[in-house]
Amino acid sequence: MTGRFTSSSEVRREALPWGTLAWFSSPADTGARSLVVLEVDLKPEAGHAFHKHPNQEEVIYVIEGEVEQWVDQEKRMLVPGDSAFIGPDVVHASFNAGKGDAKLLAILSPAIGEEGYELVDVEGIEPWASIR
């Protein structure tokens, strides 16, 4: 495949208890082999709990809102234009710290499997279960 245009009406969207994912690039959606690109909308006072991607790097870029971003055991408040780099197998989490919705762009590489990413949930394991 040489490339592909995707209109906003064609983007696959997934509703989750804490917000939504919009899949702009993944093996399943575009045939991408190296990049997974997601728009992540976080509901107020909600977030994507502590997890890791064992074999992938990730960049999280804040588009809108205020985000409490964790990278390992370090927490920062991010606003539009701020970003975080997360290395492979590093635990991280993103929580909406504002009163309105927060919007992030998440870029992961390499793409792994049909969905494009592997996720290991660690929110119930210490220190992540009680860090926040």
Side-chain angles (χ1 to χ4, degrees):
M1 176 182 275
T2 60
R4 176 181 169 178
F5 291 102
T6 305
S7 69
S8 61
S9 64
E10 296 174 311
V11 174
R12 178 169 56 103
R13 298 183 189 277
E14 181 179 351
L16 298 165
W18 45 263
T20 60
L21 299 177
W23 295 83
F24 290 104
S25 180
S26 73
D29 297 295
T30 62
R33 294 178 294 192
S34 298
L35 287 176
V36 176
V37 181
L38 301 159
E39 182 181 84
V40 181
D41 287 317
L42 300 173
K43 295 177 184 177
E45 300 180 14
H48 192 282
F50 290 96
H51 65 283
K52 61 183 178 175
H53 310 285
N55 298 295
Q56 293 175 290
E57 297 178 326
E58 181 175 12
V59 171
I60 294 175
Y61 174 81
V62 178
I63 298 169
E64 179 179 305
E66 184 177 5
V67 175
E68 175 187 320
Q69 182 64 53
W70 289 82
V71 176
D72 194 31
Q73 296 185 43
E74 182 179 356
K75 175 180 80 170
R76 295 267 178 104
M77 300 305 287
L78 303 181
V79 296
D82 292 346
S83 65
F85 169 79
I86 300 137
D89 211 34
V90 174
V91 174
H92 57 285
S94 305
F95 299 97
N96 185 340
K99 296 183 191 270
D101 289 348
K103 187 175 293 200
L104 315 170
L105 189 62
I107 304 163
L108 296 95
S109 182
I112 296 176
E114 186 68 16
E115 284 297 318
Y117 75 101
E118 56 183 353
L119 185 138
V120 176
D121 182 0
V122 298
E123 69 178 308
I125 301 169
E126 291 299 339
W128 319 112
S130 58
I131 198 170
R132 184 173 184 263

